[in-house]
Amino acid sequence: MATMLSLRRLLARSHAGFRFQFQHTAAVAVKNEPILEFKAGSSERQALEKVLNDLKGQTLEVPCVVGGETVWTNEIRYQLCPFNHSHKVAKFCYADKDLINKAINAALSAHREWDLKPVEDRAQIFFKAADLISGSRRADLLARTMFGQGKTVIQAEIDAAAELIDFFRFNAKYAVELQHEQPISESPSTNTTLYRSLEGFVAAVSPFNFTAIGGNLAGAPALMGNVVLWKPSDTAMAASYTVYKILLEAGLPPNVIQFVPADGPMFGDTVTDSEHLAGINFTGSVPTFRHLWKQVAEKLDKYRTFPRLIGECGGKNFHFVHKSADTVSVVNGTIRSAFEYGGQKCSACSRMYVPDSLWPEIKKNLLEEQKKIKVGNSFARNKKWIEHARSSPNLTVIAGGKCDDGVGYYVQPSIIETKDPQDPIMKEEIFGPIVAIYVYPENKYQEILHLIDTSTPYGLTGAVFAQDKNVVAEACKVLRYSAGNFYINDKSTGSVVAQQPFGGARISGTNDKAGGPHYILRWTSPQSVKETHVPLTGWRYPYMK
Ligand code: NAD
C-alpha cells in the first residue's frame, strides 16, 4: 500500500508541487444548493432586480476565446430575447474552420499539463466556480438566463443557479472520491488505477434550454483532465459565456476549455475531421446526435482512439393515470410538467393516458387550472402541432390553442384530446406547452401500459399515478425500458443532481446519467499499473524442476 501511494504521489507531485494528498477518508461532504424563493423584499430579489434593470436593453459582447485570446470573426450573429425580439441580448461571432482547428491545437497543447494536475486541484476550481455562482455571480447569471432563454425567475434559479452549482460540486466530489476506487494488490506487487483523461480533445455541444447543461457538458470532461472545445447554443450565448468567464475567474487555465460559438454543422464537420477527437459530449435533438454519430462512424479509420459519444436527446414523456390515482396530484403534476418553461424541458409531459372513469373530474380541474396560467414566452414548431390538431378529425383542442409571435414568441398552454393513441401527437417530441390526452376504458389499463411502452421510440421520462400498489408494481415491470427517469405519483420533470441522476435510453440518448457518480467515468481512460517489488530471479516454473 505504501508503494502504491508513493507511486501516485510521485506522479502527482512531478507536475503540481506538493499539495496532492490521498486521504483514506474517501467521502467529500457536499449538499444540494438550496433553491432561493425570491419573495418580495428578500435580499436575493433586490439583487436580481437591480441586475435585471441594469441589463435591460443591453447587449453582451461575446467573442470566441481560442488559445487564451479573444477573437472576432466577420460572421456576426445576435441572440434575441425570446419575449422581446427588439432586445439583442448578445452579439457574438461564428468561429470558422481555421479558428476551430486553431482551437483544437491550442487545447491539445494544454492537455498533458492539465491531465497531470492532481484531481484535487482540478476539483478545487469547480468548487470555487460553484461558490461564485452561489454568491456574487448568481444574480448576473440568472438575469442572463432570464433575458436570453426566456425563463421566469424560479425556472432560471433551478437551472442556472441550483443545478449548475450542484453539477460542479457533486462532480468534483465524485472525481476526488473516484481516486479511492483502487484494485487489490497481492504481494510482492502493488496495483494502482490511474484515472487518466481521454487522449485527444472533447467536443462539447450544448442545447439552448438549460444553462446548467452547457456548463456540465464542458465542465465535467475538463474536471476529469480533458481539454474541451465548447460550442454553445446560439440561443443560450449570453448565459454560456457568463459561465465560461466564471470558470476562468475560478482558476481554470485559459486553454483547457476553448469557447467556440460556431455554425452547428460547420463545427460538427470540423471536429469529426480531426484525428485527435476523443469524445463528443452532446445534448440536443435526436437528428443532430444521429448525424454526429454517423459522421464519426464514417471517419472512424482516421481517429487515434475510438471517440466516446455521449448524447442526451429528446423524449415523449408520459403520465399514465390509473383509476386508483390521486387526481389532485395528477392535475397539478401535469400542469407543472407540461407547461413550466413553456414545455421546453426534455422531460416535459407531452402525452397522458387517463381512465374514462376519472376523465370528467380530471378534465374539469385541468381546464380550470390551465385558465390560471399567465402566458409566458415560448413558438414555430408548436404552431405546426396546433394546426395539426385543428385539422385532424381525431383531435380536439380542449384548452389553449393560440400562438402569437408579435413581440415575443407566445404559445398558449394547450390541452388536446385524441381519439387515436397512435396519432403523431402521441408519438413525436413537441417541445412546447402542448399535452395530448388519450382517454381509455378503465379496465383496459394493462393494454395501455403496453401501448405506452411500444408507441414511441423514446425512453426519457415517465410517470405513473396510482394508489394501488399492485398496479404500481405491474407498471414498473412493463415500463422498465420506457423511461430512464421513472416517477411514481410524481410528475415527469424536476430531477435533482445526485438525487435522480438524469438520462434516457432508446433514441433518447446514451443514458450516461448526468448528475450521478458514474457520469465522470465516461471522461476518463483509466490506466492499470502493476509494480513488482522483488526481482524476478528465474524463468522456470516449479513444476519444471
Ligand atoms: P439541437 O439539436 O437543434 O441543437 C443542439 C446543439 O447542436 C446546438 O448547439 C446546435 O447548434 C448544435 N448543432 C446543430 N447541428 C449540428 C451539427 N451538424 N454538428 C454539431 N452540432 C450541431 O437542439 P436544441 O433545439 O438546442 O435543444 C432541444 C433538444 O434538446 C430537444 O430535443 C430536447 O429534448 C433536447 N434536450 C435533451 C436533454 C436531455 O438531457 N435528454 C436536455 C435538454 C434538451
Side-chain angles (χ1 to χ4, degrees):
M1 181 59 82
T3 320
M4 180 173 91
L5 287 177
S6 61
L7 167 68
R8 286 196 231 134
R9 284 205 184 109
L10 195 72
L11 284 166
R13 282 175 183 178
S14 61
H15 268 265
F18 291 87
R19 285 188 51 212
F20 191 42
Q21 292 272 309
F22 271 95
Q23 285 153 3
H24 287 277
T25 48
V28 177
V30 165
K31 282 194 181 139
N32 287 111
E33 175 74 4
I35 294 171
L36 303 183
E37 291 182 322
F38 295 87
K39 284 187 183 147
S42 64
S43 58
E44 68 264 20
R45 182 153 165 162
Q46 280 169 4
L48 180 62
E49 278 172 353
K50 183 180 178 314
V51 179
L52 285 171
N53 253 333
D54 292 347
L55 293 185
K56 206 172 261 173
Q58 297 292 313
T59 305
L60 181 70
E61 302 253 322
V62 179
C64 299
V65 188
V66 171
E69 291 180 2
T70 57
V71 183
W72 282 95
T73 67
N74 294 331
E75 279 232 50
I76 301 294
R77 295 279 187 283
Y78 292 93
Q79 178 191 4
L80 305 183
C81 171
F83 53 89
N84 178 3
H85 307 161
S86 65
H87 178 190
K88 292 175 175 155
V89 175
K91 173 186 175 185
F92 62 99
C93 66
Y94 274 167
D96 55 19
K97 200 177 170 76
D98 284 350
L99 191 57
I100 296 170
N101 279 320
K102 209 170 156 191
I104 293 174
N105 289 333
L108 291 174
S109 67
H111 179 226
R112 281 284 164 139
E113 191 178 349
W114 178 242
D115 174 47
L116 284 168
K117 208 175 177 58
V119 66
E120 293 188 346
D121 289 4
R122 283 189 257 118
Q124 210 51 50
I125 295 169
F126 287 86
F127 283 129
K128 173 88 191 291
D131 288 349
L132 286 170
I133 300 168
S134 174
S136 61
R137 305 301 304 275
R138 193 182 201 113
D140 185 46
L141 188 57
L142 292 184
R144 307 274 180 201
T145 302
M146 291 170 77
F147 278 129
Q149 288 126 281
K151 296 206 174 198
T152 62
V153 57
I154 201 68
Q155 293 302 317
E157 167 73 5
I158 58 178
D159 164 16
E163 185 164 287
L164 184 55
I165 293 166
D166 284 353
F167 273 141
F168 284 171
R169 286 188 182 143
F170 278 95
N171 283 341
K173 162 193 163 73
Y174 297 144
V176 171
E177 289 171 356
L178 181 64
Q179 310 304 311
H180 300 276
E181 291 289 331
Q182 292 295 330
I184 54 170
S185 294
E186 289 287 352
S187 180
S189 303
T190 45
N191 299 315
T192 311
T193 295
L194 295 177
Y195 293 94
R196 306 172 304 181
S197 69
L198 311 186
E199 191 183 14
F201 72 95
V202 172
V205 181
S206 51
F208 78 92
N209 63 337
F210 269 78
T211 299
I213 292 179
N216 189 46
L217 292 179
L223 167 72
M224 298 309 289
N226 296 278
V227 286
V228 180
L229 263 66
W230 179 9
K231 193 210 89 56
S233 166
D234 292 6
T235 40
M237 200 53 75
S240 301
Y241 188 57
T242 306
V243 171
Y244 180 63
K245 298 275 282 189
I246 290 170
L247 282 169
L248 295 180
E249 195 181 326
L252 189 77
N255 271 319
V256 171
I257 299 179
Q258 311 282 323
F259 189 80
V260 272
D263 168 62
M266 153 71 80
F267 182 82
D269 293 352
T270 311
V271 294
T272 56
D273 263 347
S274 169
E275 61 174 319
H276 297 288
L277 179 71
I280 296 180
N281 202 10
F282 174 84
T283 297
S285 64
V286 175
T288 309
F289 189 48
R290 280 194 166 143
H291 180 78
L292 281 166
W293 195 299
K294 282 181 195 156
Q295 282 190 304
V296 168
E298 279 160 14
K299 301 175 188 177
L300 203 56
D301 290 344
K302 70 164 69 180
Y303 302 125
R304 303 181 71 234
T305 186
F306 288 100
R308 299 251 172 107
L309 304 178
I310 285 87
E312 290 305 331
C313 307
K316 186 68 189 174
N317 314 299
F318 60 85
H319 278 184
F320 163 77
V321 184
H322 183 252
K323 66 176 180 187
S324 67
D326 166 41
T327 58
V328 176
S329 302
V330 172
V331 170
N332 290 328
T334 304
I335 293 278
R336 277 198 172 180
S337 175
F339 301 141
E340 271 180 359
Y341 189 37
Q344 299 170 111
K345 294 185 185 180
C346 50
S347 52
C349 169
S350 79
R351 55 182 174 137
M352 174 146 98
Y353 302 82
V354 181
D356 48 5
S357 52
L358 292 186
W359 181 227
E361 182 192 345
I362 289 180
K363 181 177 178 182
K364 177 175 155 281
N365 293 334
L366 258 186
L367 298 195
E368 240 164 54
E369 295 305 317
Q370 185 271 357
K371 278 191 215 123
K372 296 179 193 162
I373 303 173
K374 244 170 98 185
V375 178
N377 44 323
S378 82
F379 191 80
R381 54 190 156 193
N382 295 299
K383 202 170 165 199
K384 178 192 102 186
W385 284 105
I386 302 277
E387 280 161 6
H388 168 66
R390 291 213 186 283
S391 61
S392 165
N394 284 326
L395 304 175
T396 315
V397 180
I398 58 174
K402 291 204 184 98
C403 305
D404 176 9
D405 61 353
V407 179
Y409 296 116
Y410 293 98
V411 179
Q412 252 187 347
S414 303
I415 305 171
I416 292 164
E417 193 178 340
T418 176
K419 289 197 210 104
D420 178 7
Q422 300 288 357
D423 187 280
I425 206 163
M426 294 297 275
K427 294 159 78 137
E428 293 174 28
E429 187 180 40
I430 298 178
F431 217 60
I434 299 171
V435 59
I437 298 175
Y438 177 67
V439 179
Y440 67 89
E442 70 167 28
N443 59 349
K444 293 262 173 76
Y445 79 89
Q446 282 158 325
E447 276 172 45
I448 294 299
L449 290 176
H450 287 280
L451 176 90
I452 291 171
D453 185 44
T454 53
S455 56
T456 87
Y458 293 98
L460 195 53
T461 79
V464 165
F465 290 88
Q467 298 299 317
D468 183 329
K469 296 287 176 219
N470 292 329
V471 172
V472 171
E474 196 177 353
C476 288
K477 277 191 201 144
V478 180
L479 300 173
R480 186 170 168 83
Y481 287 97
S482 64
N485 283 59
F486 190 70
Y487 296 85
I488 300 164
N489 293 319
D490 205 337
K491 64 188 168 46
S492 65
T493 53
S495 69
V496 174
V497 171
Q499 294 190 33
Q500 300 92 21
F502 191 79
R506 296 186 175 165
I507 69 163
S508 290
T510 51
N511 198 14
D512 288 294
K513 290 287 183 266
H518 308 118
Y519 183 71
I520 53 165
L521 280 172
R522 296 292 272 150
W523 303 113
T524 169
S525 174
Q527 182 182 47
S528 297
V529 181
K530 178 186 179 190
E531 183 181 4
T532 294
H533 309 292
V534 295
L536 192 59
T537 52
W539 61 269
R540 288 175 197 279
Y541 292 97
Y543 79 91
M544 294 173 170
K545 286 180 186 151

